[in-house]
Amino acid sequence: MTSAVLVPHSQPSPDEPRVISAPATPGDRIFRGLLRAAGLSVFVIMGLIALFLLLRGSDALRATGWSFFTEQRWRTETHQFGIAAVLPDGLLIAVIALLVSVPVSLTAAVFVSEYAPVRLRGALVSLVDLMAAIPSIVYGLWGFYFLQPRIVGVIRWMALHLGGFLPFLKVRTGDIGTSYTSSTFIAGVIVSLMIIPIVTSLSREVFSQAPQGEREGAYALGSTRWGMVRTVVLPFGRGGMIGAVMLGFGRAMGETIAVALVISPAFKVTGHVLENGANSISALIALRFSESDGLSLSALMAAGLVLFTLTLLVNVLAGLVISRSRSGANTAD
Amino acid sequence: MATTTDQTGKPRMTTALDLPTATATATAAAAPERRLRLGGVTRAEVSTLGGALLGSLALDWMLYERLLPFSGAQGFLLCWYLLFLGFCYALGSVQWDPQTVRERLVSVVAWSAGLLLLVIIAEQIGYIAIRGWHAASHGNFLTQDMDHTAAHSPITSGGVLHAMIGSLEQLGLATLFAVPLGIAAAVFMSEVGGRAARPVRTMVEAMTALPSIVAGLFVLGVVILSLGLQASGFAASLALTVMMMPIVTRAAEVVIRLVPGTLREASYALGASQWRTVWNVVLPTARPGLVTAVVLGMARGVGETSPVLLTAGFTTRVNANPFSGHQVSLPLYIWNYVKQPYPDMVSRAFAAALVLMAIVLVLFVTARVLGGRRPGALSRRQRRRIARDAAARDAVVRETAVREAATR
């Protein structure tokens, strides 16, 4: 006790770690070099992806010029092709997927982190992880054979009763069964199931980091559990939630197989989301790849480059949002 | 009978045969304080929920079946749920104050979101199992390929043997490539660090969300178009590597960060170099979590369809050599046969999906069983072994001490 008094005040904090400097052995230097190479390989791979897509897609881009971004049709034999139809349609699928999945997954995240009994929590986290591990093609099979026949009733009701005053819900192809299937909306619903686990697990992680002191403070002020969630947990996790939703959007844009199984490809932006006929860049690539060579393959590569750039932008932006937020500040070093 | 009535005010010793009227007041006074139950559900809550559930079901049934021209199972369930919430609100506001009603309503919504996830997963697995059982229950399904099976062949011919071989080989190769690279990148971020660590982490995050079809296009562009190799299992495994590596890296980094710093410092204090510390201390401590990371990556990789679609080619017969010739895998098999207009082919595709789901489930459960412990925590068997070793050591020490005493 007394010795503590004798310590001079020149040390600002006794808990600060010492700076350890040791000369690196040759073995260490090689080891660090290898690790650094592995770390930087991520950049190499991503760079190579961009480079090769650009290289392989340059033929198509040169053949069409800027009209690649304004042309809706996809006729490679006459050099009339572009992404003006598939890109907005794909974005529409992603937006619908978000509209369906975000309320569900945020509620589920709040449930897992705040409402579920502690004993169930681990099992629920595993359940969400399992949902993320279910292959895309299984979602596709389930969506096409199980969901679609059962959801047509809802779609028909929406088209007939809401289509009057919400024009984008109108179906103009007549009131027959097939005009309600294979639409942008159904593809969006199926994709929404696939991004639920991503958004749920990311936002649950953020919610569970909300500081215990602030939670107890809210309870001590007489708050109910929902009041605590609303005033402590949700504001704390706002940045993380936004980031999770953006990551989900990126994933929804790139989703391929389930979309390709369900849609019947159309090359026209109609804006009528319930109508038969939809498309996205990834589904286009998956469906057209087998009959493509030369210029048409190059066109697919160029479309892939656009998809790659867009998802990269969205994901990096999401990463920035998460790391800037209060909840993400301590996770990103 | 043997009752003793104490006059000094000590607690009475009573037996079961004591007269109830005489002792009721005494025991009530002497009863220990009862602990208040804070959480849990009350009878009023349960009956409110039950009433709302039944009432909304009845109203929904009446609307759907009798009054309005609605149809479709999903619409029925959706309306039922909305009506249920309405009923909950109405029944609650008769009994409780608005704040309590809101609180209870939110917990109902939260619980139903959790249940919805459960239902979705159960539905997926159940539906695939039911549709797939038709073809998968025939013994030939796991032992034959599709070489002698035409469009209208009966369900007793043809199977997924070639696709299973392809899936396992491609997954094995991809794991072989992705795991060392992924774990090395994770070790780089957490152990070496420096200025490069942060951009690497951002890039890994971005790569996790790389559209799988782009990974396929990339390998197609490099390996098949530029290097001129044939579409093969090897090319497919490269595409899977691109998909699996960031998953492994992210999961592994989280685990490696959990390794206590004191262990590292102890290793350095013993004079170990950095690579010795990583190799002999950090990685073994994090082993269960690392295995989980790898197995989760494998579970994700085995189900990827689009990278394989662009790079593996398609064949109907067994090709055990991933380096030459087309090689089909389970997702590709499903993709190819489910689009055919023959019911038996669709049945085979569903059965293949069942096999795929079984593989994913086995991998997933393995990962969970292995990864239940925190880094450094010992399993029950390890703890037993350590206790046994310690006991044996103690016995030896005691024996030598006795022997030394005897010789002296």
Side-chain angles (χ1 to χ4, degrees):
Chain A
M1 288 303 265
T2 47
S3 63
V5 182
L6 295 175
V7 170
H9 287 287
S10 60
Q11 289 170 327
S13 152
D15 283 343
E16 216 154 286
R18 285 184 300 143
V19 178
I20 304 166
S21 61
T25 62
D28 266 3
R29 235 171 276 141
I30 296 169
F31 176 67
R32 270 186 223 170
L34 283 178
L35 288 185
R36 191 161 287 132
L40 296 181
S41 72
V42 185
F43 284 97
V44 174
I45 292 174
M46 292 297 263
L48 278 179
I49 292 177
L51 183 72
F52 267 87
L53 289 181
L54 190 64
L55 220 60
R56 287 284 151 193
S58 60
D59 283 348
L61 289 174
R62 218 175 291 127
T64 56
W66 288 108
S67 71
F68 184 72
F69 297 97
T70 54
E71 174 64 56
Q72 294 206 347
R73 286 167 298 182
W74 195 267
R75 290 196 197 121
T76 41
E77 58 278 8
T78 56
H79 289 213
Q80 291 169 315
F81 56 88
I83 52 165
V86 283
L87 181 63
D89 230 4
L91 293 182
L92 210 55
I93 292 180
V95 168
I96 291 172
L98 280 190
L99 286 181
V100 177
S101 68
V102 164
V104 175
S105 26
L106 291 186
T107 322
V110 168
F111 171 70
V112 176
S113 82
E114 308 299 325
Y115 281 86
V118 180
R119 266 172 304 158
L120 272 183
R121 209 161 282 171
L124 282 167
V125 172
S126 300
L127 195 77
V128 175
D129 286 349
L130 174 63
M131 205 173 159
I134 291 179
S136 159
I137 191 146
V138 170
Y139 279 104
L141 289 183
W142 179 81
F144 186 65
Y145 286 94
F146 183 83
L147 184 68
Q148 177 159 298
R150 284 163 184 77
I151 208 173
V152 157
V154 179
I155 292 175
R156 181 163 171 269
W157 184 84
M158 285 203 292
L160 293 182
H161 294 88
L162 303 179
F165 48 94
L166 295 173
F168 61 92
L169 291 179
K170 207 181 281 175
V171 170
R172 299 160 304 172
T173 41
D175 185 18
I176 47 171
T178 50
S179 51
Y180 300 113
T181 57
S182 303
S183 61
T184 310
F185 179 76
I186 291 180
V189 170
I190 292 169
V191 171
S192 79
L193 294 182
M194 311 176 61
I195 58 176
I196 281 177
I198 296 153
V199 181
T200 306
S201 68
L202 283 174
S203 24
R204 180 202 62 83
E205 228 163 79
V206 174
F207 291 159
S208 61
Q209 285 167 6
Q212 198 61 34
E214 288 176 33
R215 287 163 189 259
E216 283 167 10
Y219 282 136
L221 289 172
S223 162
T224 57
R225 196 192 309 221
W226 167 235
M228 189 278 288
V229 170
R230 202 163 44 91
T231 52
V232 174
V233 176
L234 293 183
F236 176 83
R238 192 183 296 132
M241 271 195 293
I242 296 173
V245 170
M246 286 171 72
L247 280 182
F249 185 71
R251 198 63 70 90
M253 274 200 304
E255 204 38 73
T256 313
I257 286 297
V259 176
L261 255 181
V262 170
I263 59 165
S264 53
F267 289 94
K268 205 162 185 227
V269 181
T270 60
H272 294 265
V273 292
L274 300 182
E275 234 169 59
N276 189 315
N279 223 330
S280 77
I281 290 184
S282 42
L284 170 81
I285 297 171
L287 292 172
R288 288 297 179 95
F289 154 75
S290 56
E291 60 216 41
S292 298
D293 55 350
L295 185 66
S296 50
L297 197 54
S298 168
L300 293 183
M301 290 278 183
L305 180 65
V306 173
L307 179 65
F308 172 73
T309 318
L310 268 182
T311 45
L312 192 64
L313 274 180
V314 169
N315 291 322
V316 170
L317 217 60
L320 282 181
V321 168
I322 293 178
S323 62
R324 290 279 161 81
S325 68
R326 189 182 156 209
S327 46
N330 49 357
T331 52
D333 221 357
Chain B
M1 219 166 102
T3 315
T4 56
T5 316
D6 207 329
Q7 304 292 329
T8 55
K10 276 186 187 172
R12 287 152 26 109
M13 296 173 72
T14 56
T15 66
L17 289 171
D18 216 346
L19 281 176
T21 45
T23 52
T25 48
T27 42
E33 241 181 299
R34 217 156 47 86
R35 180 184 274 260
L36 277 178
R37 226 160 37 109
L38 289 174
V41 280
T42 61
R43 197 173 299 159
E45 278 173 6
V46 172
S47 44
T48 306
L49 279 185
L53 207 61
L54 286 178
S56 54
L57 177 62
L59 183 60
D60 190 29
W61 180 80
M62 208 163 79
L63 286 177
Y64 250 75
E65 303 293 323
R66 292 284 176 269
L67 297 177
L68 299 171
F70 294 165
S71 67
Q74 309 288 344
F76 182 83
L77 293 174
L78 200 67
C79 283
W80 185 14
Y81 182 62
L82 292 178
L83 285 172
F84 169 65
L85 288 185
F87 268 67
C88 278
Y89 181 76
L91 287 179
S93 41
V94 190
Q95 314 169 52
W96 304 309
D97 59 310
Q99 201 178 20
T100 317
V101 175
R102 218 178 305 139
E103 164 77 9
R104 304 244 157 105
L105 206 60
V106 172
S107 13
V108 167
V109 171
W111 272 91
S112 52
L115 279 179
L116 181 67
L117 294 194
L118 196 67
V119 167
I120 290 175
I121 293 189
E123 238 178 23
Q124 304 266 356
I125 297 177
Y127 183 67
I128 296 293
I130 290 168
R131 284 289 303 256
W133 187 245
H134 174 53
S137 57
H138 297 281
N140 56 298
F141 193 71
L142 294 178
T143 55
Q144 285 185 12
D145 59 16
M146 293 292 283
D147 203 20
H148 304 291
T149 308
H152 289 290
S153 298
I155 202 81
T156 47
S157 92
V160 286
L161 180 67
H162 57 315
M164 275 167 60
I165 291 175
S167 259
L168 294 181
E169 282 185 355
Q170 288 167 18
L171 183 64
L173 279 177
T175 311
L176 205 65
F177 302 141
V179 167
L181 197 61
I183 290 185
V187 172
F188 168 72
M189 282 191 278
S190 57
E191 299 294 314
V192 179
R195 250 178 311 152
R198 199 164 178 166
V200 167
R201 186 171 299 124
T202 314
M203 215 25 129
V204 168
E205 303 253 312
M207 202 170 156
T208 332
L210 181 77
S212 50
I213 192 101
V214 171
L217 273 182
F218 166 60
V219 173
L220 175 75
V222 175
V223 177
I224 297 170
L225 295 181
S226 297
L227 296 180
L229 298 178
Q230 219 189 349
S232 65
F234 172 67
S237 71
L238 286 182
L240 290 181
T241 306
V242 175
M243 296 308 297
M244 282 167 62
M245 182 237 170
I247 298 173
V248 174
T249 304
R250 275 189 61 179
E253 199 216 345
V254 172
V255 185
I256 292 175
R257 270 161 173 252
L258 289 178
V259 173
T262 45
L263 287 181
R264 287 189 195 98
E265 283 160 20
S267 168
Y268 287 134
L270 289 172
S273 59
Q274 188 177 21
W275 79 270
R276 272 288 170 202
T277 305
V278 169
W279 189 251
N280 289 347
V281 176
V282 176
L283 290 183
T285 311
R287 191 184 292 136
L290 289 178
V291 173
T292 307
V294 170
V295 179
L296 278 184
M298 288 168 79
R300 203 67 72 79
V302 75
E304 287 286 358
T305 315
S306 27
V308 182
L309 171 69
L310 268 54
T311 49
F314 190 81
T315 174
T316 54
R317 67 182 69 167
V318 171
N319 173 17
N321 182 1
F323 294 99
S324 86
H326 293 180
Q327 192 183 41
V328 75
S329 62
L330 281 170
L332 196 51
Y333 178 99
I334 303 169
W335 168 251
N336 196 63
Y337 288 115
V338 81
K339 291 189 302 178
Q340 297 197 357
Y342 314 106
D344 277 350
M345 285 300 185
V346 176
S347 279
R348 289 192 185 100
F350 269 99
L354 182 59
V355 175
L356 182 62
M357 278 301 284
I359 294 177
V360 169
L361 277 177
V362 166
L363 285 174
F364 191 81
V365 171
T366 315
R368 282 292 153 224
V369 169
L370 291 173
R373 284 171 287 138
R374 290 177 64 79
L378 300 174
S379 69
R380 198 176 299 160
R381 189 189 299 169
Q382 282 170 320
R383 272 205 300 273
R384 265 207 304 270
R385 201 184 63 210
I386 287 174
R388 208 169 48 228
D389 289 353
R393 211 166 40 232
D394 285 353
V396 171
V397 168
R398 224 175 300 128
E399 214 171 274
T400 46
V402 168
R403 211 177 301 137
E404 269 171 26
T407 49
R408 213 175 290 147

